[in-house]
Amino acid sequence: MSEPEIKVGTSSSASFHRAPMAPAMPGGRASSSYGLSVTDDIDARIWERIKDHPCFSEQAHHYFARMHVAVAPACNIQCNYCNRKYDCTNESRPGVASVKLTPDQAVRKVLAVASKVPELSVVGVAGPGDACYDWRKTVATFEGVAREIPDIRLCISTNGLALPDHVDELADMNVDHVTITINMVDPEVGAKIYPWILHGHRRYTGIEGARILHERQMLGLEMLTKRGILTKINSVMIPGVNDTHLVEVNRWIRDRGAFMHNVVPLISKPSHGTYYGLTGQRCPEPFELKALQDCLDGNVKLMRHCQQCRADAIGLLGDDREREFALDQISTRVKFDTRKREAYRKLVQHERGDQLAAKLDANKAVRSLGSSGTLAVAVATKGGGRINEHFGQARELQVYAVSRKGINLVGHRKVEQYCLGGLGEKATLDHTIVALDGIDILLSSKIGDCPKKRLAETGVRASDAFSYSYIETAIGALYAAEFGGKPAMPTALGPSN
Amino acid sequence: MAFKIIVSQCTQCGACEFECPSDAISFKGEGYVVDSKKCTECKGEFDTQQCASVCPMPKTCVPA
């Protein structure tokens, strides 16, 4: 694993040669023998660049962690779904951060986290405002981080309005991953999402503001593509406002070389104090989001493992450790130990080869059955691609769809932790049963007899027989048992008698 | 003449400090404050007051 060396401020002499942007899907899917291996539809050079980034690679998110440093609070746009005034520590949504950091504090915090969390591979500035607008703080932070930890990847998230002003500097700093939030390509739709923007020291409202934003977003995206910087487009799905329009957005961004499209559901509660929260704008239902994602599938790579994390999130996606790293607990002199990081990387390399092989085998087996049957499987996992979380401890379940096309991650469902202090809560279980609607099988490392029985009554077969197996291996065996007449692993789904 | 920030409504995003051409806004204690001696209301520089233009909260950055 030879990581490109990241140097700041040495644009031409940097020992990092960016490959020209290859099309996202060279040759199309038909050329691959497997439906969804991690490499089949991605150029090898691209894979090299995304394999450690949990947001850009679904596979990487099992192994690598990201850290957001909340250094950029100022914003040049008002969005109807955003309000940074209210932050409850239990709240996890973009734009929320408990403490704003100065660039110096941010660098110190990154070092403290990197020493303790060997999975850390990415440091990003995602607000709470806009990283490109509050640019000086973003730059100061990146320069400090790159100096201390040269092998870390830097990325930003932006609304795109100020992006074209800074694309050259981003390229010079080796910022290789940029996320732009694009919710519309039609200013008429934009006017319903953005009450105003600030551009060139002037506030613009309505369609005029949305048009400027749209033009700047498209320009910024084109400039990034030209420089070979990978872009992920986030779109907030707002029912009745831009939900159907996002198909059009998807077409525009694909034509301009976006690498990945991530449709996120609107998060809106009256208690968040946003315009949408106060006007009662509803959020999309999981099935609506999935239907939209399915009709976008095949154009540009779709992200389906997004956790809509906080602007100061730390750790693996879905396991926010932000609260472990309060600023006042971080000493001014952090000793940075790289040995843990190096050891972890070696381990991942090995484990990952195994997992990939297992995944490919399982997919091949499923496809070779040629069955028309389908299964929806929910999995409790702590990462590493294994079924390794207790049902009672899970706060979210990953959902896989299995068909003749192979085994596909199609989303995740939030559940409330069933076990609190060793006792299962009945009310929580009722909630979980609702969340498991449409699921055939639930896999976890352990599950008690009582919830197992309750789930069985609602048609969900729960099993802990595949404890610590690779997810795809277990699902493949179950599918074969169901539709291929082959036995699954011993005692797979039988009642635990 | 100057502007002021109503602290209870301020989200402390800091965009006003960032935009102020007169360097009149700074973070003190609990929130952002406008130095009335430095504030020019952007006269001669911009058509609109920059702090009020960028403030995400309505009626929070107002004439003193």
Side-chain angles (χ1 to χ4, degrees):
Chain A
M1 286 225 295
S2 62
E3 288 286 334
E5 203 179 337
I6 297 175
K7 285 181 184 148
V8 172
T10 51
S11 55
S12 52
S13 63
S15 60
F16 183 75
H17 297 287
R18 221 174 239 119
M21 184 78 171
M25 285 183 216
R29 281 164 189 268
S31 68
S32 73
S33 49
Y34 304 111
L36 49 109
S37 86
V38 287
T39 48
D40 70 348
D41 54 3
I42 297 169
D43 186 279
R45 282 170 307 187
I46 301 272
W47 169 242
E48 196 55 38
R49 289 162 64 190
I50 62 166
K51 68 184 172 56
D52 297 348
H53 197 308
C55 309
F56 278 70
S57 157
E58 187 261 312
Q59 213 248 2
H61 109 270
H62 294 301
Y63 297 108
F64 288 104
R66 51 73 180 99
M67 169 175 188
H68 286 165
V69 282
V71 294
C75 198
N76 48 357
I77 292 186
Q78 180 63 51
C79 302
N80 279 337
Y81 49 75
C82 180
N83 177 9
R84 300 183 299 277
K85 188 175 168 74
Y86 299 99
D87 162 36
C88 158
T89 44
N90 293 318
E91 225 167 45
S92 188
R93 59 187 167 95
V96 157
S98 298
V99 189
K100 292 184 297 260
L101 304 173
T102 66
D104 282 348
Q105 288 170 328
V107 173
R108 253 170 50 208
K109 192 165 174 176
V110 170
L111 285 176
V113 172
S115 301
K116 258 181 124 173
V117 183
E119 298 96 328
L120 187 72
S121 65
V122 176
V123 168
V125 177
D130 187 78
C132 282
Y133 174 60
D134 214 342
W135 181 246
R136 280 171 298 181
K137 290 183 200 148
T138 303
V139 172
T141 306
F142 280 171
E143 284 179 347
V145 170
R147 199 185 316 117
E148 301 289 340
I149 317 177
D151 72 347
I152 213 144
R153 287 186 188 271
L154 304 173
C155 71
I156 64 159
S157 185
T158 173
N159 59 39
L161 183 57
L163 174 64
D165 302 338
H166 303 299
V167 170
D168 289 332
E169 293 158 274
L170 286 170
D172 288 350
M173 287 194 298
N174 276 319
V175 174
D176 209 23
H177 300 77
V178 172
T179 297
I180 317 173
T181 301
I182 299 179
N183 299 320
M184 53 89 200
V185 290
D186 176 357
E188 301 242 358
V189 176
K192 296 178 199 157
I193 304 171
Y194 307 103
W196 58 261
I197 67 158
L198 189 93
H199 179 60
H201 301 288
R202 244 197 80 189
R203 197 202 278 240
Y204 297 87
T205 56
I207 291 178
E208 195 187 13
R211 179 171 295 121
I212 295 170
L213 175 62
H214 164 63
E215 283 163 7
R216 302 279 292 173
Q217 285 177 332
M218 294 303 131
L219 175 63
L221 174 57
E222 285 164 10
M223 291 171 79
L224 290 170
T225 301
K226 209 185 257 175
R227 283 163 183 77
I229 295 175
L230 292 180
T231 45
K232 173 160 73 67
I233 307 302
N234 280 359
S235 298
V236 182
M237 180 182 181
I238 311 159
V241 176
N242 73 345
D243 45 354
T244 50
H245 181 60
L246 287 179
V247 178
E248 182 79 11
V249 172
N250 184 267
R251 195 159 41 231
W252 278 66
I253 60 156
R254 180 193 48 185
D255 291 348
R256 283 158 186 77
F259 172 69
M260 187 176 243
H261 196 185
N262 177 26
V263 180
V264 294
L266 170 73
I267 300 177
S268 170
K269 283 187 194 163
S271 61
H272 298 157
T274 61
Y275 172 81
Y276 283 149
L278 298 173
T279 54
Q281 168 67 49
R282 75 173 180 92
C283 306
E285 300 293 337
F287 74 88
E288 292 174 301
L289 177 67
K290 187 173 177 296
L292 175 63
Q293 286 175 330
D294 288 347
C295 85
L296 302 179
D297 210 358
N299 290 339
V300 61
K301 237 186 123 38
L302 271 195
M303 176 176 184
R304 293 194 187 235
H305 62 283
C306 179
Q307 305 282 339
Q308 296 184 280
C309 54
R310 297 162 58 92
D312 56 2
I314 296 173
L316 294 165
L317 305 191
D319 179 26
D320 193 352
R321 299 174 61 180
E322 188 266 325
R323 270 176 275 180
E324 284 172 49
F325 297 98
L327 193 64
D328 50 14
Q329 287 164 19
I330 294 170
S331 64
T332 39
R333 295 196 67 82
V334 180
K335 244 188 102 206
F336 178 45
D337 183 0
T338 59
R339 279 171 305 178
K340 250 200 205 163
R341 275 173 73 74
E342 283 156 15
Y344 182 75
R345 257 141 231 271
K346 276 201 188 119
L347 179 78
V348 165
Q349 203 177 3
H350 178 259
E351 174 81 8
R352 215 174 200 180
D354 272 7
Q355 193 206 342
L356 181 57
K359 185 172 176 171
L360 295 180
D361 283 349
N363 267 294
K364 199 175 171 186
V366 164
R367 291 159 65 92
S368 70
L369 287 176
S371 165
S372 59
T374 58
L375 271 185
V377 184
V379 179
T381 175
K382 287 195 267 195
R386 291 180 189 269
I387 301 163
N388 53 7
E389 188 159 46
H390 192 302
F391 169 72
Q393 300 292 326
R395 278 174 298 188
E396 68 142 29
L397 300 166
Q398 296 195 350
V399 179
Y400 288 79
V402 202
S403 69
R404 66 170 64 179
K405 285 193 244 163
I407 304 166
N408 272 299
L409 175 75
V410 291
H412 57 86
R413 303 214 186 152
K414 297 246 184 249
V415 290
E416 279 175 56
Q417 252 174 293
Y418 172 61
C419 277
L420 291 168
L423 288 171
E425 289 285 333
K426 192 186 163 296
T428 312
L429 190 57
D430 291 341
H431 188 269
T432 304
I433 285 167
V434 175
L436 286 173
D437 183 39
I439 301 288
D440 300 306
I441 296 171
L442 169 81
L443 299 175
S444 57
S445 69
K446 197 89 189 110
I447 182 165
D449 284 340
C450 174
K452 197 172 177 178
K453 209 184 266 172
R454 280 290 315 281
L455 288 170
E457 287 162 13
T458 64
V460 179
R461 288 170 283 161
S463 168
D464 49 20
F466 293 96
S467 197
Y468 295 95
S469 303
Y470 283 124
I471 294 169
E472 280 86 1
T473 306
I475 294 178
L478 285 169
Y479 188 81
E482 202 97 345
F483 300 109
K486 285 182 202 159
M489 274 161 60
T491 70
L493 284 171
S496 58
N497 49 4
Chain B
M1 293 296 276
F3 265 56
K4 69 172 178 187
I5 294 161
I6 298 167
V7 179
S8 60
Q9 300 185 89
C10 172
T11 68
Q12 303 187 355
C13 77
C16 55
E17 177 191 28
F18 187 70
E19 288 294 341
C20 177
S22 320
D23 198 21
I25 301 178
S26 56
F27 195 77
K28 287 219 172 91
E30 294 289 285
Y32 284 92
V33 288
V34 183
D35 183 341
S36 59
K37 288 194 204 86
K38 285 186 179 172
C39 178
T40 63
E41 295 194 354
C42 298
K43 279 201 183 84
E45 284 189 85
F46 297 105
D47 296 339
T48 57
Q49 285 81 26
Q50 296 296 291
C51 54
S53 281
V54 77
C55 181
M57 300 302 286
K59 293 179 190 157
T60 297
C61 198
V62 291

